[in-house]
Amino acid sequence: MLIYLVVDQSGSKVFDTDNGWDIDFSGRQYRNASIKDRKFRHLDLKRNETIVMKRKIDMEYTGRLTVMVYSRLSSVRVSLIDSRGHEKQVYYYGYNNYTGLNPGAFLGSGYNFVELPQGSTGKILKIMEMSSQNGAIVEVPEVIITPFNDALAVFVKGKAVVAFVSFYIFIAGALVIFLSLFATVFDPGFFRMIFLGFFSICSSLWCMCSSKMVQIFSRNLRTNSMIEYMSIYLLFIPLLILVLTCFYNLATWQKLVMTGSACAYTGLSAAAIVLQKLRLVNVDYLLPVFHALMAFDVVFLVVLSLYHWKRSRVSEKYLESGIFVAAIAAGIYTPVYCVDPMTHVYYNFLDMFFIPLSLLLMTTLIFIGYVKGVLEQMAEKAQRQRLLENSGTDTLTGLKDNIIGESVLRRISADKSDYVFIIYDLNGLRVINRERGSHIGDLVIKGFADGLRKVFYDADLISRTGGDEFFIVFEKNMISVYEIEKRAKQLEKELEGVSVRAGVELDAAYGYALSSEIRDKDTERAIQVLKQRLYMMKTDMNNQRSGQ
């Protein structure tokens, strides 16, 4: 329905009611005036001052009419005066019936949709607005009269861009938050994406509320304005957090400045809510403070981005480009708003095109930069893991090296955990290298390492601790002496296959030690025991060869 409304307003009708108004304010009276006259700009009415507008409903139309009256932080009363001079109130906002403005009430900004009763043609339309604070009314309010059935279509006319951008960014932000919460369960690093989603939602809410597109869903001007100001007050918090978490090599003072700014925005938002709840001031009262903070942060982030641009990663360049877009948008929009805060009433180029498209571009750049940053970090993590694995890996066999073996021994000794240690020594490797060449020796070592992997598949560690020495650790899956001897015979068969492929005769001696046979599970004593057993086996094997 929304897409239909913003794209097709064919047949919708707006009556020409710019002229023929009687306007009274600040003791001045104007008759048969045009509300577009330049003399009705920059009025600057004080608190509780009123502006009264009257015009005859003289259009030739017999159906029901809708009057849209814009009010900015002001109360509104709409009445009809018949030919006898009797006045009947048909709408009020911010007034306590006929007694006047609610004391201290917070009044929002937006369009008041007034449905006139049947037969209003020929009567006098009277509109009275009362300023709730100094400077709330700076122009004669915009008034649009349209047939009742055309009111919504007329309201959204010309807002296709802002409607698309607002809803697109909002849906994208909500999806990012949902997916990041789900992904955080598997990888805590995705938690940062929540701030990207929060930034998108704040941007879209502010865009919807400032353009008044939110009135398609809510006619509560107080709530809409509260959302508008709170979303803009909070907008820079997720942006600063994204910069803090995604920029590399930030100095400590830079981190402190951005952290302080994020805290200042949080305090500003809390103060705005408290002051409004206490009915001391409207929520927009702290807007100048926000503009000052925003100006400081925009300048700071732009200077920071320019300083880091040459040495920035690709992901950071996207984020910095988003910051540049934000700086341009803020640098153009903020001065216009401060000079003429009612400019947005007429939904000019800035409101309907420039700001929405800037937000869309900025959010897209920041999103791409964040995703690129995540991909870069994942690649770096995988590379570090490979380097870590390779740093403790024997390049010839792919087994862990002596450094890893010693670290495992130290950990087992500190934990006093159960263990089974096995050591293997290839006999005659030096002779093979000398007589057949090192390439044959390497072939033998790799073949023997493959045999160890196959036979001791459930070991916690298999490492090459020397040229012809291999060390095996069982810690979780304990094995018995019988199993050690059984697997030693399986390894002999594997070694026979290596002998055939290499064309040499091979055998290997081994020794073992179990924590259950070592006092206090002393690992140093265990190493002595397994080396003694290795030496005894090598001696027996040498004696057998000598006897042959």
Side-chain angles (χ1 to χ4, degrees):
M1 177 182 176
L2 175 63
I3 296 175
Y4 171 78
L5 286 172
V6 298
V7 173
D8 181 17
Q9 294 93 22
S10 58
S12 57
K13 184 176 183 180
V14 179
F15 297 109
D16 183 9
T17 55
D18 290 342
N19 301 308
W21 290 91
D22 294 341
I23 302 174
D24 300 340
F25 63 90
S26 301
R28 288 174 282 180
Q29 298 180 348
Y30 300 89
R31 297 293 175 260
N32 197 27
S34 171
I35 60 175
K36 296 294 182 67
D37 197 313
R38 294 182 63 85
K39 65 174 171 283
F40 296 128
R41 299 189 64 183
H42 309 289
L43 302 182
D44 193 25
L45 269 66
K46 305 304 180 183
R47 175 181 169 86
N48 291 333
E49 287 188 344
T50 61
I51 181 169
V52 181
M53 305 165 59
K54 295 179 182 179
R55 187 190 191 281
K56 185 177 182 180
I57 305 175
D58 55 1
M59 61 283 300
E60 296 180 0
Y61 185 76
T62 58
R64 296 180 63 188
L65 297 173
T66 295
V67 179
M68 288 180 278
V69 182
Y70 188 86
S71 63
R72 178 178 180 270
L73 303 174
S74 303
S75 59
V76 179
R77 182 186 295 174
V78 179
S79 305
L80 289 174
I81 303 175
D82 60 23
S83 58
R84 293 175 295 177
H86 295 160
E87 181 176 342
K88 180 181 179 181
Q89 179 175 285
V90 294
Y91 176 86
Y92 67 89
Y93 166 70
Y95 281 96
N96 183 8
N97 290 333
Y98 292 93
T99 60
L101 180 68
N102 289 335
F106 166 61
L107 300 178
S109 301
Y111 281 93
N112 300 267
F113 287 77
V114 183
E115 300 175 9
L116 299 182
Q118 192 81 23
S120 298
T121 303
K123 296 181 179 180
I124 302 296
L125 175 67
K126 178 182 177 181
I127 301 171
M128 183 168 65
E129 287 197 9
M130 178 184 290
S131 177
S132 66
Q133 65 182 39
N134 294 343
I137 300 178
V138 296
E139 281 189 347
V140 169
E142 182 184 17
V143 180
I144 300 173
I145 302 179
T146 181
F148 174 77
N149 293 330
D150 294 344
L152 187 58
V154 170
F155 175 71
V156 301
K157 186 176 183 179
K159 302 180 181 68
V161 172
V162 69
F164 169 77
V165 171
S166 299
F167 293 113
Y168 173 80
I169 296 177
F170 183 88
I171 294 172
L175 284 174
V176 167
I177 290 178
F178 174 77
L179 293 176
S180 61
L181 288 173
F182 178 76
T184 301
V185 177
F186 304 96
D187 186 352
F190 283 99
F191 182 76
R192 293 177 299 171
M193 286 187 67
I194 294 176
F195 299 107
L196 177 60
F198 184 44
F199 176 79
S200 298
I201 289 177
C202 285
S203 301
S204 65
L205 288 176
W206 177 72
C207 198
M208 278 193 287
C209 293
S210 64
S211 65
K212 310 310 173 192
M213 281 297 296
V214 72
Q215 289 194 248
I216 295 175
F217 308 101
S218 170
R219 299 288 174 85
N220 190 322
L221 301 188
R222 292 184 179 90
T223 300
N224 297 346
S225 293
M226 178 64 76
I227 295 174
E228 176 184 352
Y229 288 110
M230 294 311 299
S231 60
I232 192 66
Y233 287 163
L234 296 172
L235 182 62
F236 268 73
I237 296 177
L239 179 60
L240 290 170
I241 293 176
L242 284 171
V243 173
L244 279 170
T245 56
C246 296
F247 272 35
Y248 297 88
N249 302 320
L250 287 174
T252 302
W253 71 269
Q254 294 169 343
K255 295 179 181 179
L256 289 175
V257 169
M258 286 186 279
T259 302
S261 292
C263 293
Y265 287 116
T266 304
L268 178 69
S269 304
I273 294 174
V274 171
L275 291 174
Q276 187 272 316
K277 290 294 183 182
L278 295 176
R279 295 191 170 188
L280 298 177
V281 293
N282 282 324
V283 73
D284 75 314
Y285 188 77
L286 297 177
L287 202 57
V289 180
F290 167 78
H291 286 151
L293 272 175
M294 182 185 67
F296 170 80
D297 285 324
V298 166
V299 173
F300 177 80
L301 290 176
V302 168
V303 172
L304 181 66
S305 299
L306 290 173
Y307 177 75
H308 285 278
W309 181 264
K310 288 186 178 180
R311 48 188 177 146
S312 296
R313 305 185 180 194
V314 176
S315 60
E316 291 179 313
K317 281 183 167 58
Y318 278 104
L319 290 170
E320 290 161 350
S321 299
I323 290 172
F324 295 148
V325 173
I328 294 171
I332 294 176
Y333 187 81
T334 303
V336 173
Y337 182 90
C338 292
V339 171
D340 188 356
M342 290 292 282
T343 299
H344 65 286
V345 172
Y346 300 103
Y347 295 98
N348 57 13
F349 173 78
L350 288 178
D351 297 286
M352 293 298 102
F353 297 98
F354 180 75
I355 292 300
L357 292 177
S358 298
L359 285 174
L360 178 61
L361 179 59
M362 177 173 57
T363 305
T364 302
L365 289 171
I366 292 174
F367 178 78
I368 294 174
Y370 179 82
V371 173
K372 289 283 292 183
V374 170
L375 294 177
E376 288 174 356
Q377 291 180 2
M378 291 174 64
E380 290 175 356
K381 185 177 180 181
Q383 184 178 9
R384 286 195 301 268
Q385 185 64 28
R386 287 194 298 270
L387 292 174
L388 181 61
E389 293 174 354
N390 294 334
S391 65
T393 301
D394 177 61
T395 56
L396 178 61
T397 63
L399 299 175
K400 298 301 181 183
D401 62 12
N402 191 44
I403 297 175
I404 299 297
E406 289 179 353
S407 66
V408 171
L409 280 176
R410 287 194 296 270
R411 180 179 56 76
I412 292 176
S413 177
D415 295 344
K416 296 295 181 180
S417 56
D418 293 327
Y419 57 81
V420 174
F421 295 155
I422 305 173
I423 189 171
Y424 266 90
D425 189 292
L426 273 171
N427 293 322
L429 185 61
R430 290 189 181 88
V431 177
I432 293 172
N433 285 332
R434 185 174 64 249
E435 296 180 356
R436 300 293 303 277
S438 59
H439 65 286
I440 298 297
D442 291 346
L443 179 63
V444 169
I445 292 172
K446 287 191 286 187
F448 185 68
D450 291 338
L452 288 173
R453 289 193 189 93
K454 184 176 180 180
V455 173
F456 296 100
Y457 60 90
D458 53 348
D460 294 290
L461 173 69
I462 303 176
S463 64
R464 183 185 179 197
T465 56
D468 55 2
E469 190 174 271
F470 299 83
F471 185 59
I472 304 165
V473 176
F474 284 88
E475 188 177 5
K476 298 177 182 176
N477 303 314
M478 305 296 287
I479 61 174
S480 62
V481 175
Y482 171 77
E483 185 68 21
I484 294 173
E485 294 174 347
K486 178 182 177 181
R487 296 195 186 192
K489 293 178 180 180
Q490 294 174 0
L491 187 60
E492 287 178 10
K493 294 180 181 180
E494 296 292 329
L495 198 55
E496 289 174 2
V498 177
S499 299
V500 172
R501 291 193 297 272
V504 295
E505 293 186 4
L506 295 171
D507 58 14
Y510 69 91
Y512 61 87
L514 286 71
S515 59
S516 57
E517 62 181 358
I518 305 299
R519 183 177 179 181
D520 296 330
K521 301 179 182 180
D522 186 354
T523 55
E524 292 184 3
R525 176 58 184 160
I527 296 298
Q528 294 175 0
V529 169
L530 67 85
K531 286 188 174 181
Q532 289 175 358
R533 287 172 173 163
L534 172 67
Y535 176 76
M536 291 174 60
M537 187 173 185
K538 287 177 70 72
T539 301
D540 290 343
M541 296 174 73
N542 290 333
N543 290 337
Q544 289 177 7
R545 281 193 290 269
S546 299
Q548 292 176 352

